[in-house]
């Protein structure tokens, strides 16, 4: 249900708390999220250090952040599918597989962006 009226500091604070609750749930319950978060914790500062100029820095930092977002969305899809339909259903499996594929596409983007920016410097 959409919120009505003015959204002041209290509502913004509550939204922030719900977001942190989501991060904690992702960390606690999803091994893939933990792995990708550790990767992002390493890559983001490294990308800020290795990037030449704002656009390169953005091209190195943004993809790992997208992976984290996609992994959280994929985990949310999986949780809803498991809640709604605990038994196997072709459409449930398809939804889970497509969420996983979205994360994979972004992991390819991380590899591609880092490779295209950094490999020419070394070769």
């Amino acid at each position: 249900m959409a919120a009505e009226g003015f959204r002041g500091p209290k509502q913004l604070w509550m939204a922030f708390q719900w977001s942190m609750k989501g991060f904690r749930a992702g960390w606690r319950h999803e091994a893939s999220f933990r792995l990708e978060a550790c990767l992002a914790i390493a890559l983001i500062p490294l990308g800020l250090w290795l990037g030449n100029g704002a656009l390169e820095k953005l091209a190195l930092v943004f993809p790992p952040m997208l992976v984290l977002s996609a992994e959280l969305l994929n985990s949310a899809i999986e949780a809803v599918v498991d809640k709604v339909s605990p038994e196997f259903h072709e459409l449930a499996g398809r939804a889970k597989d497509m969420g996983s594929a979205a994360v994979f596409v972004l992991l390819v983007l991380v590899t591609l962006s880092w490779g295209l920016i950094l490999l020419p410097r070394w070769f």
Side-chain angles (χ1 to χ4, degrees):
M1 185 155 124
E4 295 180 16
F6 178 70
R7 291 189 53 93
K10 182 179 178 184
Q11 289 80 17
L12 292 175
W13 177 249
M14 292 304 298
F16 174 76
Q17 287 183 317
W18 293 323
S19 295
M20 294 303 104
K21 187 176 179 182
F23 276 118
R24 284 190 300 275
W27 184 266
R28 186 176 304 122
H29 301 289
E30 298 297 330
S32 294
F33 180 76
R34 288 191 299 272
L35 177 64
E36 291 155 355
C38 289
L39 186 64
I41 288 168
L43 289 180
I44 290 171
L46 198 57
L48 291 172
W49 181 57
L50 292 173
N52 290 334
L55 290 179
E56 268 193 17
K57 290 177 190 295
L58 185 63
L60 293 173
V61 168
F62 194 57
M65 294 176 74
L66 285 176
V67 168
L68 293 179
S69 296
E71 185 61 51
L72 288 169
L73 289 171
N74 181 42
S75 297
I77 290 168
E78 289 180 352
V80 169
V81 166
D82 289 344
K83 170 72 175 164
V84 172
S85 177
E87 68 278 347
F88 177 78
H89 189 280
E90 180 183 345
L91 292 176
R94 187 183 314 162
K96 289 180 169 189
D97 291 345
M98 292 169 81
S100 180
V103 174
F104 176 76
V105 167
L106 290 172
L107 287 168
V108 170
L109 176 64
V110 169
T111 305
L112 188 62
S113 62
W114 278 72
L116 288 173
I117 291 171
L118 298 178
L119 285 178
R121 293 184 194 170
W122 297 330
F123 297 108

